[in-house]
Amino acid sequence: MVPLAAPSYSSEYESEEDQLVTVTNYCTLFLYRIMAQNAAAALAAGAALAAQNAAAAIMALSPLQRVLHTIVGLAQPACVAVAADGYEEFMDFENMQWKDVEKWISNARKLTLNRGGFSISSSKEKRIQALAFWVNDLLRTGRATVEADINEAEFDVITMNEMAEEAYIYYLECKTDSDVSTPEKFAYNKWEVWEETVVNWLQTKRGVTDLPLSYIIRKVTPPARMDHSQLIIYNASLTTAVFKADSKKVANLLTPLVLDTDAFEWGGRRFTLGKGREGWLELVNHYNGSAESERRIAAARHKLSNLFYKNEMTFNFETFSTKLKATFDTMEKYGEGRSEREKVSTLLEKIRTSNQKLESAITFARSNHSTDYLAATNYLATQISFIFPAQQPTQRTNRDRGKRNVSQLKKDKFGKVKSCNGVDITDTSRWFSIDEWNKIRKNPEILRMINDCPKRKKKAEDRKRRKGEGNGGGRNTSSVNAGITQAVIAAL
């Protein structure tokens, strides 16, 4: 405050009465100033006391109530009502899903305050749903197991908004039926694909507490590094009543897939007893056991030794690279994985070509993608589509636009294909002209069927053997056949 100036006495005052009035006014202003200062001090002290009391009241709340009050935005009476309804700590939200919170708050709105009811807005209801989802996510992923593991400071406004969105998406996923089709019945020669298909299928099925049912058939040893979904799968309990119910559900789902198959005797029988996990582990131990592993590794090696890419007409690069990757995946699954550099080296060695542009692409891939198999494969696939555009399956002429290959097939009364695009293929081992090859190649399935014909392969081997004998009396047709082959490739 600006200090008051003391009154001065001078001859300018005509009388003592005027001087008395001046002094009186000064004293009055001084007293008012003192009173104002005291009042301001009292107000400041009162405000500080009120703030201290408010802070003390907030600190007196439980961690859950503090979050409900300061982050969710509930008034203190509502926080007390929530605690009185049995939700005193974070762990009380365990296994509470979106729909459970919705039902709980709906019932609370119907009760009066003196009967334990409370009324909150729909926006605050979604915040509580976010809080419940956050708590359960900590528990599901193993980041918290008891109340002391949950840090209230981690649930701030940003986290709450993120959890609100994730909680609603999770609710919709659990509510909506999956469109993933049921796997086919077990087949011995398709075990690897069937195993993966079943796992992915059960990932879309929900258990009693909305956990993906794939946790029932998880591996015994968890991966060294796990993403969020894997943390949920591998932290789910395998000893509770919920697990038993979910295991029985899995058993019921898998029983039709193994019934009347070999798998029924190697673990499938346990499915009929409601033991989903035990039955699945027996299946895995048998079909992924040492004997089966050695057999699959041997098959993968054999496949790898006979896998080559030559051109787009007989065996396109997409099919070649897919089969090559599947072979590498099989070998890795059973303990014979190859490094990225080895994979790239094998990929490049398996390409047999005399095309200069493709040879240049191989050289570039070897120099720039030698340690990245996926990058090398994608690069070569792009280059091949540029080098051989006419052989790409998506390439279609104006004349062919709007037509499907299947419409160009003709079958006999037994359903056997007898012609493709006007070419007679009753005998797939016969010789085809260049024009006929051009028509056949429009249907990759028929082209593959002809090339895989055992009789055709045998005839080719016989021709090679006869050429090797070289009796000298017959006509040398090697140059003719070579010319025809080059003409076919050039035309394609």
Side-chain angles (χ1 to χ4, degrees):
M1 291 185 181
V2 180
L4 293 174
S8 59
Y9 302 96
S10 63
S11 59
E12 64 182 84
Y13 293 104
E14 296 182 356
S15 62
E16 293 183 0
E17 184 178 352
D18 291 335
Q19 293 181 3
L20 181 61
V21 170
T22 300
V23 172
T24 302
N25 290 340
Y26 172 81
C27 292
T28 302
L29 290 174
F30 181 77
L31 290 174
Y32 282 156
R33 178 67 60 86
I34 294 299
M35 292 173 63
Q37 289 176 346
N38 292 338
L43 289 174
L49 182 60
Q52 290 177 357
N53 292 337
I58 292 175
M59 293 306 298
L61 298 174
S62 68
L64 172 61
Q65 289 177 323
R66 281 197 295 271
V67 168
L68 290 173
H69 180 61
T70 59
I71 305 300
V72 175
L74 297 187
Q76 287 195 25
C79 294
V80 174
V82 168
D85 207 17
Y87 297 93
E88 299 178 347
E89 56 184 27
F90 292 110
M91 291 293 290
D92 292 328
F93 282 110
E94 184 176 6
N95 292 329
M96 280 197 73
Q97 305 301 323
W98 179 282
K99 57 186 177 182
D100 300 322
V101 175
E102 188 177 52
K103 184 178 179 180
W104 165 51
I105 293 178
S106 176
N107 292 333
R109 287 192 180 110
K110 298 175 183 178
L111 300 176
T112 58
L113 186 60
N114 59 356
R115 294 179 58 193
F118 56 88
S119 179
I120 61 176
S121 64
S122 58
S123 62
K124 291 179 180 177
E125 177 183 338
K126 288 181 173 59
R127 295 174 186 175
I128 295 178
Q129 289 168 325
L131 174 61
F133 183 82
W134 175 71
V135 171
N136 281 282
D137 192 61
L138 292 176
L139 298 174
R140 284 194 297 260
T141 56
R143 291 175 291 166
T145 55
V146 294
E147 181 73 13
D149 296 333
I150 302 176
N151 183 3
E152 62 178 291
E154 294 179 0
F155 190 78
D156 53 20
V157 175
I158 296 176
T159 302
M160 179 179 65
N161 293 334
E162 291 176 351
M163 291 295 105
E165 185 176 359
E166 291 187 24
Y168 186 63
I169 293 174
Y170 188 80
Y171 164 71
L172 292 179
E173 289 177 349
C174 297
K175 181 181 178 181
T176 307
D177 292 334
S178 171
D179 57 355
V180 177
S181 58
T182 303
E184 298 178 355
K185 292 196 74 166
F186 169 85
Y188 175 76
N189 60 343
K190 296 181 179 179
W191 160 255
E192 293 176 81
V193 176
W194 188 81
E195 178 189 14
E196 186 176 348
T197 302
V198 170
V199 173
N200 292 336
W201 178 54
L202 291 180
Q203 183 72 23
T204 66
K205 302 292 182 180
R206 301 289 172 174
V208 175
T209 57
D210 286 337
L211 281 175
L213 284 176
S214 56
Y215 87 89
I216 296 295
I217 61 172
R218 73 192 188 199
K219 296 179 181 179
V220 176
T221 304
R225 294 182 178 180
M226 294 186 285
D227 57 23
H228 185 266
S229 61
Q230 288 175 318
L231 284 172
I232 293 176
I233 295 299
Y234 281 92
N235 278 284
S237 174
L238 301 180
T239 58
T240 61
V242 170
F243 160 74
K244 292 181 180 179
D246 288 345
S247 183
K248 184 176 181 180
K249 186 175 181 179
V250 168
N252 293 336
L253 289 170
L254 295 182
T255 297
L257 304 183
V258 299
L259 202 61
D260 299 326
T261 70
D262 293 342
F264 187 77
E265 301 300 331
W266 295 105
R269 191 178 296 277
R270 287 188 175 271
F271 294 152
T272 61
L273 304 177
K275 298 181 178 181
R277 179 164 178 79
E278 291 89 336
W280 180 260
L281 290 181
E282 285 190 17
L283 282 177
V284 171
N285 289 336
H286 176 71
Y287 290 105
N288 285 341
S290 57
E292 292 296 330
S293 298
E294 287 297 329
R295 188 195 66 79
R296 291 194 179 91
I297 289 175
R301 290 173 186 156
H302 178 74
K303 184 183 295 184
L304 189 62
S305 65
N306 292 281
L307 194 59
F308 296 97
Y309 171 78
K310 296 180 180 179
N311 55 63
E312 290 292 284
M313 181 188 73
T314 57
F315 193 53
N316 64 53
F317 186 79
E318 177 66 23
T319 305
F320 161 76
S321 59
T322 300
K323 288 183 177 294
L324 186 60
K325 184 180 183 303
T327 304
F328 286 146
D329 290 344
T330 298
M331 297 178 74
E332 183 174 0
K333 179 178 181 179
Y334 295 106
E336 285 202 8
R338 298 195 174 189
S339 67
E340 289 291 296
R341 186 178 294 276
E342 290 174 323
K343 290 179 181 179
V344 173
S345 178
T346 302
L347 167 68
L348 301 180
E349 290 173 359
K350 292 291 182 178
I351 300 177
R352 306 292 175 83
T353 183
S354 59
N355 185 285
Q356 292 183 354
K357 291 183 178 179
L358 183 52
E359 288 179 346
S360 298
I362 292 173
T363 302
F364 183 89
R366 183 176 283 110
S367 300
N368 295 273
H369 304 297
S370 60
T371 59
D372 192 334
Y373 174 72
L374 182 60
T377 303
N378 291 338
Y379 169 74
L380 289 173
T382 303
Q383 295 304 309
I384 287 173
S385 68
F386 292 148
I387 298 171
F388 306 114
Q391 282 76 46
Q392 299 307 306
T394 56
Q395 184 77 12
R396 306 181 72 176
T397 64
N398 291 332
R399 182 175 57 187
D400 295 332
R401 188 170 286 114
K403 297 180 180 180
R404 296 177 60 202
N405 288 331
V406 69
S407 64
Q408 307 302 313
L409 300 179
K410 290 186 179 180
K411 302 179 181 180
D412 59 20
K413 62 180 181 179
F414 300 106
K416 184 178 179 181
V417 178
K418 63 180 183 178
S419 70
C420 173
N421 298 321
V423 179
D424 182 12
I425 59 171
T426 305
D427 181 10
T428 55
S429 64
R430 73 177 180 86
W431 181 86
F432 293 97
S433 67
I434 295 177
D435 183 58
E436 287 176 326
W437 276 120
N438 286 334
K439 293 179 180 179
I440 292 172
R441 72 176 178 80
K442 296 178 182 179
N443 192 312
E445 293 183 4
I446 298 298
L447 180 63
R448 191 175 299 112
M449 179 186 73
I450 293 174
N451 286 321
D452 292 342
C453 175
K455 291 183 179 180
R456 186 175 188 82
K457 292 181 178 179
K458 187 176 184 304
K459 285 185 177 181
E461 291 174 359
D462 290 343
R463 285 195 298 271
K464 290 179 181 179
R465 186 169 58 254
R466 286 196 298 271
K467 291 176 184 176
E469 291 173 355
N471 54 25
R475 180 188 173 192
N476 186 358
T477 60
S478 60
S479 60
V480 177
N481 289 336
I484 292 175
T485 300
Q486 292 178 359
V488 169
I489 295 175
L492 298 177

